[in-house]
Amino acid sequence: MKKLLMVAVFLTNLAVFSQTDKDEATPKKLVQDFFEAFHDQDTVKLKSFAVDSMQLQSISKDAEGNTQVSTTEYSKFLKNIASIPAETNFEEKLHEFRIEENGLLATVTTPYSFYFNGNFSHCGVNSFQLVNFSGEWKIVYLVDTRTKEDCY
């Protein structure tokens, strides 16, 4: 009876550990980890979260109110993050996560407010497109909006 009880306890623990690993490999967790690395200026981790061909775009309005789309290579984004002086303080506060997952594809949308050296800079929405490669989510596309109006 003791052996049977020990086997049951072992199998229960094994099931709990396997669920923990699966729970961590979610689109939401990837985006949370992305922003943690972003705030830490950890470009090695940031690079690991995306495919090499990742596209990064921002949508904003110019002084005349015309919609502008700017595109940045992910490698340039990483260089920009690495070049931020250590004494500079920046924070992107995420207000919520909207997640739609469908097999190999997921979309994570995160409204945000951005602060630079403690001062409000802008707000908007991030939209991450993720693809699941053999159980590992990777960012393939990131587009965000930037405005100073209608913020949270």
Side-chain angles (χ1 to χ4, degrees):
M1 187 66 158
K2 280 185 175 181
K3 287 183 182 179
L4 184 59
L5 182 59
M6 290 185 71
V7 169
V9 168
F10 175 75
L11 291 175
T12 301
N13 286 338
L14 187 62
V16 167
F17 285 121
S18 66
Q19 286 177 352
T20 301
D21 291 343
K22 185 179 186 310
D23 291 343
E24 288 185 15
T26 66
K28 180 178 181 179
K29 178 74 169 126
L30 174 64
V31 172
Q32 289 172 320
D33 290 347
F34 174 89
F35 280 103
E36 182 178 322
F38 174 68
H39 293 130
D40 291 342
Q41 294 177 261
D42 187 338
T43 57
V44 173
K45 277 188 182 175
L46 285 170
K47 184 173 178 164
S48 75
F49 298 140
V51 296
D52 290 337
S53 60
M54 179 183 158
Q55 293 188 20
L56 184 65
Q57 293 187 309
S58 290
I59 314 297
S60 61
K61 293 200 178 221
D62 63 16
E64 291 80 38
N66 300 310
T67 301
Q68 303 290 311
V69 178
S70 64
T71 303
T72 304
E73 292 180 25
Y74 195 55
S75 60
K76 185 175 180 184
F77 166 78
L78 295 174
K79 287 178 187 174
N80 290 341
I81 295 301
S83 70
I84 297 172
E87 63 273 5
T88 301
N89 181 3
F90 62 96
E91 181 181 13
E92 188 157 332
K93 293 182 181 181
L94 304 181
H95 301 293
E96 68 178 291
F97 287 83
R98 300 176 195 146
I99 302 164
E100 185 173 334
E101 187 178 337
N102 190 346
L104 299 176
L105 182 65
T107 301
V108 180
T109 306
T110 59
Y112 72 91
S113 297
F114 189 84
Y115 296 83
F116 187 78
N117 286 331
N119 298 313
F120 173 77
S121 171
H122 62 276
C123 64
V125 176
N126 300 306
S127 179
F128 291 84
Q129 295 297 311
L130 310 176
V131 173
N132 190 313
F133 295 93
S134 302
E136 183 177 11
W137 290 100
K138 295 278 188 176
I139 304 165
V140 295
Y141 179 65
L142 171 57
V143 61
D144 67 68
T145 61
R146 297 181 187 185
T147 186
K148 291 183 184 272
E149 303 168 357
D150 300 323
C151 297
Y152 278 80

